[in-house]
Amino acid sequence: MCGILLYTDPTRDFTYLQQQIAHRGPDSTQLITHDGIAFFSSVLSLRSPFTAQPLIDEDFVLQFNGELYNDEISGNDTRWIQQMLQETGDVVPTIRSLDGEFAYVIYQRSTRTISFGRDPVGKRSLVWSTAGDQLVVASVHPIEDREQYTDCLNGVIYQYNLDTHTLTMIPNDTHYNINPNTDQDITHISERVSQLHSVLSRSVAQRLKTIHPLHTSSTPFSILFSGGLDCTVIASLCAQLSPADTSIDLLNVAFDNPRTGLTASEAPDRQLAIQTWLSLCKTHPTTTFNLIEIDVPYSEYQDIRPKVIELMYPKNTEMDLSIAIAFYFASRGRGSLLSYGDDGSTASILRQPGYQSTGKVLFSGLGADELYGGYHKFANKDSTTLVPELEKQINGIYERNLMRDDKVISDNGVEVRYPFLSHDVIKFSTEEIEINYKVNKLILRELAKTLGLGFVAEEPKRAIQFGSKSAKITQGGKIKGTDSLS
């Protein structure tokens, strides 16, 4: 994960915003002025060799935030983009060739053009403003005049001409269409499960092998872990595709909720996570799964709440806050490490407080509900109604979830990766899987069974804000998730 800030008036003071950008990339920060344009970059180094940003050559200045999974990349992906730009001299086809989760800024001196944008799904945040005929592009919103800034649309290539002060937008060339066909006799379910297993495994493997500095931590990556279906499938695949004796942190967050009187240890996601963790350990005995209990006292919730509201802007509802603040604490990775005795029971569990997860990459199961019909509102819809609903969900996930989550999680200096949201997984899941296999996540539940995860295959959907008890902590029962924050 890296941070991007560009502004065409280098006399402006963006000190506070630079501090916010620096949180996203703790390994390196650099501010340069080139051709009268200020570039501030921060870097979280996950691909060797280490590469400070921005990268500058005779014609291009490059800022890049994210990870690429193109097969032809063998080293640092930012340097690979620079090489492609040098070879082609053309920004648009270079950007269209990238496979991954990313945001970018590219200044081309020969054309006096600044190009910027997000990947076709929109997994990394980026905002822009052209107020006063001055361009500003940043990973997060500034504090001052934030209403002047707009979040980039997914996959759109923005191009700002420095001479004419005009902004043009090249539309996203990727749109996912849902297969409307049904297989009432469930004839092809085994074939589809096998195909899903293959494409999802490849997505997980791509996101594992590109964590280059494995020696920097005994636990190089973590998983945002509720104990539910989606994250458990990802955890199992990570174990299968990692070397024996790999250590994986499972980050489980829960809140003390004074409104309900429940403590964090009583939250539904905490109870489920413990049971699923114990089962995972038995299913994958050569992998060390570290369950990290991240308890959030009400006082700490109050302290962090204003910061999360600031980070997730322009999102401003009770539901957005309850989701974002859960991800903030989970991605911070600070809690108690659980271990168990030889009998593998809850009675033998020991807790070691003061644990800090050191992995800089987080895996998330986001996207499974959108692809396989996991949300409760889909439960009673017929196929005709479900097709446009799912199409809307997956094509709009950048605006509804991703830009909020990236802004909040990255503030902890970690990077989140989404195996379900690789282009290949989305394309297969939308175009090949029959629509009736997506009722209540049928196909993913069948995949879980083939992975030996029967203990979680029938687990019902529970949103993180309800499972962790981050929703409605202080308000009365009448408050709605769609209500604006007071």
Side-chain angles (χ1 to χ4, degrees):
M1 179 58 59
C2 302
I4 292 172
L5 172 61
L6 171 146
Y7 45 107
T8 55
D9 179 1
T11 65
R12 296 183 66 175
D13 182 7
F14 282 110
T15 301
Y16 183 76
L17 182 55
Q18 288 175 7
Q19 293 172 352
Q20 297 297 94
I21 299 296
H23 293 168
R24 300 169 62 91
D27 295 328
S28 170
T29 58
Q30 184 171 218
L31 172 65
I32 68 160
T33 301
H34 187 78
D35 284 358
I37 306 167
F39 301 84
F40 181 79
S41 293
S42 64
V43 175
L44 172 65
S45 181
L46 296 169
R47 301 281 285 266
S48 59
F50 171 77
T51 301
Q53 295 191 43
L55 288 183
I56 304 174
D57 60 30
E58 291 183 0
D59 197 25
F60 294 99
V61 180
L62 170 63
Q63 295 175 287
F64 180 74
N65 167 29
E67 299 297 326
L68 297 182
Y69 308 113
N70 299 68
D71 291 335
E72 56 267 44
I73 301 176
S74 59
N76 186 278
D77 48 0
T78 307
R79 293 190 182 187
W80 184 80
I81 299 171
Q82 183 185 47
Q83 180 182 345
M84 291 287 291
L85 289 169
Q86 291 169 345
E87 291 176 357
T88 66
D90 198 338
V91 172
V92 174
T94 297
I95 294 303
R96 295 296 192 216
S97 71
L98 305 183
D99 176 22
E101 28 214 21
F102 58 87
Y104 61 90
V105 167
I106 302 171
Y107 166 55
Q108 187 169 9
R109 171 181 275 180
S110 60
T111 62
R112 296 277 294 162
T113 301
I114 298 171
S115 302
F116 58 94
R118 303 162 69 184
D119 67 74
V121 179
K123 287 164 277 191
R124 297 290 178 260
S125 61
L126 200 69
V127 305
W128 61 273
S129 170
T130 55
D133 284 338
Q134 297 293 337
L135 176 66
V136 181
V137 184
S139 295
V140 296
H141 280 79
I143 291 295
E144 297 180 353
D145 301 321
R146 50 178 33 194
E147 68 282 353
Q148 297 178 355
Y149 291 77
T150 303
D151 283 274
C152 292
L153 300 173
N154 60 316
V156 172
I157 299 177
Y158 297 79
Q159 295 194 311
Y160 182 81
N161 186 287
L162 289 164
D163 296 325
T164 62
H165 303 289
T166 55
L167 182 69
T168 59
M169 295 183 289
I170 302 173
N172 189 359
D173 65 352
T174 301
H175 183 86
Y176 298 105
N177 299 300
I178 302 295
N179 175 6
N181 296 328
T182 61
D183 175 21
Q184 296 297 343
D185 297 328
I186 318 294
T187 306
H188 304 296
I189 187 69
S190 295
E191 179 185 2
R192 294 290 182 261
V193 168
S194 177
Q195 292 170 326
L196 177 58
H197 186 189
S198 177
V199 71
L200 184 57
S201 293
R202 183 172 188 271
S203 178
V204 171
Q206 288 175 320
R207 284 153 180 78
L208 287 172
K209 72 178 183 180
T210 49
I211 308 173
H212 284 187
L214 294 177
H215 61 280
T216 61
S217 171
S218 59
T219 307
F221 64 93
S222 307
I223 298 172
L224 297 172
F225 190 73
S226 66
L229 174 64
D230 311 339
C231 60
T232 304
V233 167
I234 297 301
S236 179
L237 291 175
C238 284
Q240 290 182 16
L241 296 166
S242 298
D245 300 324
T246 294
S247 181
I248 303 173
D249 284 349
L250 306 177
L251 306 178
N252 178 264
V253 65
F255 292 74
D256 291 340
N257 190 310
R259 185 186 67 83
T260 63
L262 294 177
T263 64
S265 64
E266 298 172 296
D269 276 4
R270 176 60 48 77
Q271 301 297 313
L272 177 60
I274 291 173
Q275 296 297 332
T276 304
W277 163 63
L278 291 171
S279 297
L280 268 175
C281 292
K282 295 175 183 177
T283 305
H284 299 284
T286 64
T287 298
T288 300
F289 286 109
N290 304 313
L291 181 60
I292 314 303
E293 290 185 336
I294 300 170
D295 294 344
V296 183
Y298 178 59
S299 59
E300 193 168 8
Y301 168 89
Q302 289 180 304
D303 290 342
I304 294 297
R305 184 178 184 272
K307 179 177 183 176
V308 173
I309 292 174
E310 175 188 318
L311 286 170
M312 72 181 194
Y313 181 87
K315 295 296 186 181
N316 189 42
T317 68
E318 292 287 346
M319 181 179 67
D320 284 307
L321 174 60
S322 62
I323 295 171
I325 202 163
F327 283 144
Y328 178 87
F329 281 108
S331 61
R332 192 172 67 172
R334 189 184 308 161
S336 297
L337 171 65
L338 268 63
S339 59
Y340 60 88
D342 293 337
D343 64 353
S345 69
T346 56
S348 65
I349 290 176
L350 300 176
R351 288 170 171 82
Q352 176 187 328
Y355 181 85
Q356 176 62 60
S357 181
T358 56
K360 295 302 182 182
V361 173
L362 307 182
F363 280 72
S364 167
L366 182 67
D369 288 317
E370 289 77 8
L371 289 172
Y372 312 119
Y375 291 117
H376 291 304
K377 61 183 178 181
F378 298 151
N380 297 315
K381 293 185 181 295
D382 58 29
S383 298
T384 302
T385 308
L386 190 56
V387 167
E389 285 283 358
L390 290 182
E391 194 163 308
K392 178 182 177 181
Q393 288 289 318
I394 194 59
N395 287 293
I397 194 172
Y398 77 97
E399 193 280 332
R400 190 180 56 259
N401 299 91
L402 290 167
M403 69 183 189
R404 174 199 63 211
D405 299 350
D406 181 75
K407 292 171 184 176
V408 171
I409 291 173
S410 299
D411 192 68
N412 284 313
V414 295
E415 175 178 279
V416 62
R417 300 184 180 183
Y418 304 99
F420 284 111
L421 293 179
S422 79
H423 172 70
D424 290 345
V425 172
I426 297 176
K427 186 175 177 62
F428 169 75
S429 299
T430 53
E431 296 183 3
E432 301 298 327
I433 299 176
E434 289 80 358
I435 189 64
N436 59 311
Y437 291 178
K438 300 175 183 178
V439 176
N440 192 29
K441 288 169 138 175
L442 170 63
I443 190 165
L444 193 61
R445 296 183 188 280
E446 291 301 311
L447 175 59
K449 293 174 185 176
T450 68
L451 295 174
L453 308 176
F455 52 86
V456 77
E458 301 303 328
E459 191 64 35
K461 164 69 180 176
R462 185 185 295 115
I464 187 173
Q465 65 269 34
F466 303 121
S468 69
K469 290 300 178 183
S470 61
K472 300 181 180 180
I473 285 186
T474 58
Q475 300 287 350
K478 294 183 179 180
I479 196 168
K480 297 179 181 178
T482 54
D483 290 346
S484 297
L485 294 167
S486 56

